[in-house]
Amino acid sequence: MTITDSSVDAAPVPPPIGAVGMARWAWRQLTSMRTALILLFLLALGAIPGSLIPQRGVDPVAVVEFRNRHPELASWYDKASLFEVFSSPWFSAIYLLLMVSLIGCLVPRTRVYLRAVRARPPATPRNLERLPEHRAVTLDPGADADPETALATAAAALRRRRFRVETYEGSISAERGYLRDTGNLVFHLSLVVVLVGIAVGHLYGMRGSALVVEGQGFSNTVTQYDNLRTGPRFDVDDLSPFTLTLKDFQARYEEAGNQRGAAREFEAKVTVIDAPGSPPRADGIRVNHPLNLGGSKVFLGPHGYAPAVTVRDGNGNVVFAGAVPFLPVDPVGLSSRGVVKVPDAAPTQLGFQGFFLPTAAFDLQRGPFSTFPEPRLPRLVLNVWSGDLGLDDGVPQSVYRLDTTDMTQVKESTKADAQPLTQSLAVGDTMTLPGLGSLTFDGYREWVVLQVAEDPGRTPALAGGALALAGLLASLFVRPRRVWVRARRDEAGRTVVEVAALARSEGPDLAADVDGVVEALKSSNSSGSSDSSAATAAAPKE
Amino acid sequence: MVHENLADVSDRLIYASILVYALAMLALCAEWAFSSRRFAAEAVEAVPVKALVGAGGPEVAEILPAAPPARERAEKFGRIGLSLAVLGFLLHLGGMACRGLAVDRVPWGNMYEFSSMSALAAMGVFLALTRKYDIRWLGVFVVTPVLLTLGLAVTVLYTDAQQLQPALQSYWLVIHVIAAVTSAGAFTVGAALSILYLVKEHAERTGSATLSRLPAADALDRIAYRVHAFVFPLWTFAVIAGAIWAENAWGRYWGWDPKETWAFITWVVYAAYLHARATAGWKGRRAAAVALTGFGCFLFNYFVVNLVVTGLHSYAGT
Ligand code: HEM
């Protein structure tokens, strides 16, 4: 493309003396094509660690595991923000520099472009035969064979081929394909739009998730979230005021074949109250089919089982009753691990930990496990700890983990060599803890994680993406070119017309344009004879 | 619901296409062997290279001096090779169609199917190019990776015909994956062209007569650019469609999941290729190297990220 020639070929020159000169030099370097190229490479290179090292924003659990396994390395990674590559100062520096370079390069190019669009197609060069495509036609003498008529015919033919035509003395100049530069500018500008969309999403958006058990409700307020990330400009009072109740979670799994147990269909049946006072309505959330509630979208996240238990303490009082979410540890059989903490039990606090197995099986290698994700033979396998749960230490604890530092494991009996108590319960079974109470397995419910997201930047980002694509197509497939036609009389008084063309980008079919004009000239001068110039033999097919 | 008979037919057609592609590869190799012998014996430089690039087969014959027997034989093998390639493509296409019918969905829902589809796309792009350019010489360099991909697909990656997991049940699967898979095929053809360009460019610089059958390096560079210019917007579209789908499935259109990150890296490197071609000092060899780097990133994303690095996009399909 010609309008950028100056920036494209700027060879590195030594910086001039003086602050202003330096600044100008630095700016020219920054906005050069070479710099853009290098920055693009750096951007690609910089993204690589973000895909290979666990990222806090993508998989926080993996980051913690990595830290435990390689504490030394992790502290180095921390220094280089390698657990948060995409929000790290150095990654931001690369893309901000790229954006500055882009804008710095777009502004002058837009100016040149606007001038080029308004300008007349350039004057006819002296030596047309030097151009890559050239033909000369000698017209038969006749009424319509004077140079002016020939030029008018050629101009009409070029206009039909959607060229912009400009008349000069004894010649015409025509150009088409301005859309290429338009497309190129639109493409690059749209990248800025996409970035703005992303920024808006970060500033004004929110994302959160909450685990909800069947039968429970969720109202869209800050306190109900297990996890909530709001942008700095997001106002929590603006959370849309809906309430959801999870009525039922339905799942269907592959029954046979080598993918037995693979998920086939999930649906969360919910009752929605759009705003306080609105009538409740039934709806469903499926994967790929989020619920749209007043600017927020609600997505279906992971799911699992919550066994329901009743715990009585040593005094026979019911100290706990309810469903406790267990976390799946095996995606195939959906074996789930979890704990039940009973701080109110007397004489000592109680903690149960173990597995929920939807379709229980047992072998010597694996111990108890589950063969299918649906509850076909549900079992709750638990062991028990008594003592201090450590809940009053003020240190936040995971609800899925038991801190056993101040607890002792409950044994089968009080004998010295007694085994730790482990029991596998079917629905309705009760495990008795000598002197400490009992636990009854009442049943199970399912839970889902509901993910709520609000992103006001998504429409601008999408529009930017669509615009970028359109610009890109124009920029890559529109083939700008120029055609010149000159007509004069030779010594014998016949009209000689020269037609020549020049490509302004890779690969337009210049021969077709020139042939088109020549055809038009010949047919209006019906018995015209032509002598094509040798330079145009055997045009390539491409 | 899976129609086992159709799934079976699909498998057989794919095996048949592998066989036919292998024969096509042999024939196309034979063409190379015969033509290089001939070209080694004669002064090729006399043949206007421009004519070789653009013109169809018969026109080449007109320009060249009287054809010696080896050349005729090469021509015959070439034609046979191309016909076999077309036949293989049709069998392959039939195989994928049956797979789709067997499972009542588009046949690109796991790695076996993605790989077979991208091999099909590579063949499709190559065969479409042969209609426009005289580039039968490229055949070997496309059929070989296609055979490798299909071989890998039917052995390591094979998955029984099955229904889709919920995450993939979306019309964005149809749109996003077809764009990605076609890009994969076209990237393969583009990479083959860039490699040939580099080899040819080297030969021209050192005055060696190897690959004299190929068009001039400049012409190769131009065709390689055409292919990349076709695939870059398609890949851009695939990435955008993927982002829209991610937004619909997970509530965010971009999350720097490893798969997304490598799609982005691939995109940026190919953008750098397009820039390099417009930058003095980067045109030609270096630009071709950038394009190949882009292809490397694409392959990394497909094989290493899909099979080794875990993320949300784990549809390897076992
Ligand atoms: C944000 C990163 C950028 C990306 C992703 C990008 C991407 C692209 C792509 C894909 C093309 C090929 C389409 C076409 O030929 O029009 C292109 C062309 C171009 N870009 Fe960029 N670009 C970026 C930044 C820049 C910057 C900073 C400059 C200024 C130095 C620049 C200058 C150009 C020019 C002059 C062309 C036309 C080259 C030609 O004639 O083929 N780009 N860009």
Side-chain angles (χ1 to χ4, degrees), chain A residues 8-9 33 37 40 47 51 58 86 207 254 259 263-264 288 290 297 299 455 458 465 469 477 506-507 541-542, chain B residues 54 132-133 159 162-163 166-167 169 222 226 240 245 247-249 251 253 255-256 262 268 272 277-280:
Chain A
V8 167
D9 291 314
M33 194 80 167
L37 195 56
L40 280 173
S51 74
V58 178
F86 301 106
R207 265 180 83 70
E254 190 67 51
Q259 292 192 29
R264 290 296 173 243
N288 285 315
K297 284 190 174 180
F299 300 84
D455 184 353
R458 121 184 110 205
L469 192 59
F477 297 121
E506 224 147 335
K541 205 162 70 162
E542 47 164 309
Chain B
K132 195 148 175 259
Y133 306 101
T159 314
Q162 291 283 0
Q163 286 175 292
Q169 294 167 12
R222 269 202 307 278
R226 288 286 178 85
I240 295 175
W245 186 8
E247 205 278 326
N248 218 30
Y253 53 87
W256 296 112
W262 279 93
V268 167
R277 276 185 53 93
T279 309

Side-chain angles (χ1 to χ4, degrees), chain B residues 123-142:
Chain B
M123 276 319 279
V125 169
F126 165 66
L127 292 176
L129 281 177
T130 58
R131 300 185 63 86
K132 195 148 175 259
Y133 306 101
D134 182 27
I135 53 160
R136 202 169 61 209
W137 42 265
L138 183 62
V140 191
F141 302 95
V142 177

Side-chain angles (χ1 to χ4, degrees), chain A residues 10-13 24-36 101:
Chain A
V13 277
R24 194 169 294 153
W25 176 83
W27 179 249
R28 242 201 332 271
Q29 292 306 306
L30 182 62
T31 56
S32 78
M33 194 80 167
R34 201 181 305 269
T35 308
S101 163

Side-chain angles (χ1 to χ4, degrees), chain A residues 31 33 36 101-102 105 109 184 187-188 475, chain B residues 232 267 274-275:
Chain A
T31 56
M33 194 80 167
S101 163
L102 180 60
C105 144
R109 275 169 62 205
N184 185 286
F187 168 75
H188 285 88
S475 165
Chain B
F232 186 77
W267 186 80
L274 294 176
H275 276 197

